[in-house]
Each structure stands twice: as structure tokens, then as C-alpha cells.
Amino acid sequence: MVSKTRDKLIEVARQLFAYKGVENTTMNDIAAASDKGRRTIYTYFRNKREIFDAVIERQSNAIIGRLQSVVDDSSLSPEDKLKKYLGIRFDIIAESTPNSGKPRMLIGHDHKKVEKIYNMAVVKERELFARMLREGVDAGVFDGNRIKDVQGLLSMTYFSVDYCHSHQSFDYVGIQPAQLRDSLISCVTKLILK
């Protein structure tokens, strides 16, 4: 019961933060929307900041969970796993940045909040990606000498794609997001395959 109530408060807060913004959401709003009293909220969280941090942590874990499911999928070949992983990773970027009329997976349009989620996930993601690449090297599918090049290249690529999404500037670079996504997945895969 305790975790269900806490989970409900986090989900209600996430929805309110997404629609009203963190600054415009009050503890009274969360209490009313969750059908819980303020006293109940303060049983689980000292303040709105703690609720926000719990929302951020949950979003970060959701991102990593999506990627982890691919890395842990033993039915995929190392090459297919890499392609699927990269596809999901690019989808996460597209979902987490403002795009006219598109619902957002993450919280609102505040880039600092999105960046906090990204930073929480980046270390976990780096370890997960490295594990997937090591498995591909161990299976004799990936070239171990090119792994470091790919990791650095992808970090800068994610940053650039995120920038293009957040500034809606794909027209300026002369390529559409889906085309860029497919081209990058193809290039990275070809780069590290033996």
C-alpha cells in the first residue's frame, strides 16, 4: 500500500509538472489531483523538490529500462541488438525535446530538467552500451579497435541530434530526423562490424 500511494503521488506530480510546469504546480495541486491530503504527501516527501527528484529518477530509470531490455535480449544478434539500441536511443532524443504539438515523454519544455534526466542516465547508459559492444567483440562480430571511436562519435552525435530537435533546425542541415537516424545507424553499424 505504501509504495502504491508513493507511486501514485509521483505519477500525478509528473503529469502536473508536464502540463503546468514545476514552478506552477503546488503541493495543494498534487494533493487534489491524487485524492490524497497534504499530510499524506508530507508522509512521503518533505517538499515539492523531493517529489520532483523522484519524478526525475523514475524518468531516468525508464530511459535506461528501454535500452536495457535491448541489451538483455538474447534472441538478437549483436548487429541487430546494436541497430535496435541505436534506434531506441535516437527515439528517446526525439521524444524528450520540444516538437510542435507532439506529447513529450519527459517533463515539460525546460531543457535544464531534461538535461538533469539525461545526466542521471548517462553513466548507466555508457556502461550498458559498453557491455553490449564487448559482447559483440567477444562474439567476433564487432571490431574491438573501433569501439572507442564509436563511443565518442555517438556522444557528439546524440548532442547534435538533440540540438537539432530542440531548435527544430533539421531543415537548416538539409536532412530530416528519420533519414538522419537511419543513416547514422547504418554508418555506426558498418564502422564497427568486422
Side-chain angles (χ1 to χ4, degrees):
M1 181 70 168
V2 170
S3 66
K4 284 185 181 180
T5 300
R6 186 176 191 279
D7 288 345
K8 181 177 182 177
L9 292 170
I10 292 169
E11 179 55 25
V12 166
R14 184 194 66 76
Q15 291 174 18
L16 288 169
F17 293 160
Y19 290 109
K20 294 179 74 171
V22 176
E23 297 78 17
N24 297 324
T25 301
T26 66
M27 295 297 265
N28 285 335
D29 294 333
I30 297 168
S34 65
D35 295 325
K36 304 289 180 191
R38 283 176 54 103
R39 178 176 273 173
T40 301
I41 294 173
Y42 286 112
T43 300
Y44 299 98
F45 304 99
R46 288 186 297 216
N47 52 43
K48 185 170 66 170
R49 185 79 201 159
E50 275 193 9
I51 296 173
F52 175 71
D53 289 345
V55 169
I56 294 290
E57 183 178 357
R58 178 171 288 172
Q59 292 300 116
S60 174
N61 289 339
I63 290 169
I64 293 302
R66 287 174 70 182
L67 298 171
Q68 177 113 30
S69 68
V70 174
V71 174
D72 291 343
D73 187 346
S74 59
S75 70
L76 295 173
S77 70
E79 180 180 351
D80 289 339
K81 198 178 282 194
L82 176 65
K83 288 177 181 178
K84 187 171 182 178
Y85 181 100
L86 292 173
I88 289 172
R89 185 61 181 84
F90 286 114
D91 292 346
I92 288 168
I93 292 170
E95 293 164 359
S96 67
T97 53
N99 195 343
S100 56
K102 181 177 175 184
R104 293 170 50 83
M105 180 187 89
L106 304 175
I107 302 167
H109 297 281
D110 187 331
H111 293 288
K112 289 182 182 178
K113 293 175 184 92
V114 172
E115 185 177 342
K116 184 173 182 180
I117 293 168
Y118 173 79
N119 288 338
M120 287 179 71
V122 75
V123 172
K124 293 177 189 174
E125 181 189 353
R126 198 175 320 143
E127 292 168 359
L128 198 58
F129 190 67
R131 186 180 110 206
M132 181 180 63
L133 293 178
R134 271 193 315 273
E135 289 172 4
V137 169
D138 292 347
V141 177
F142 298 154
D143 184 337
N145 295 322
R146 296 187 186 146
I147 300 272
K148 287 182 183 175
D149 295 337
V150 166
Q151 289 172 316
L153 174 70
L154 281 175
S155 293
M156 291 309 298
T157 300
Y158 295 150
F159 179 79
S160 299
V161 171
D162 180 56
Y163 180 87
C164 286
H165 273 292
S166 64
H167 291 83
Q168 297 181 6
S169 61
F170 282 100
D171 290 338
Y172 296 117
V173 294
I175 192 166
Q176 292 304 305
Q179 181 186 2
L180 177 64
R181 175 186 184 270
D182 293 344
S183 295
L184 287 169
I185 290 170
S186 176
C187 287
V188 167
T189 305
K190 288 175 186 174
L191 181 66
I192 67 168
L193 284 175
K194 278 190 165 182

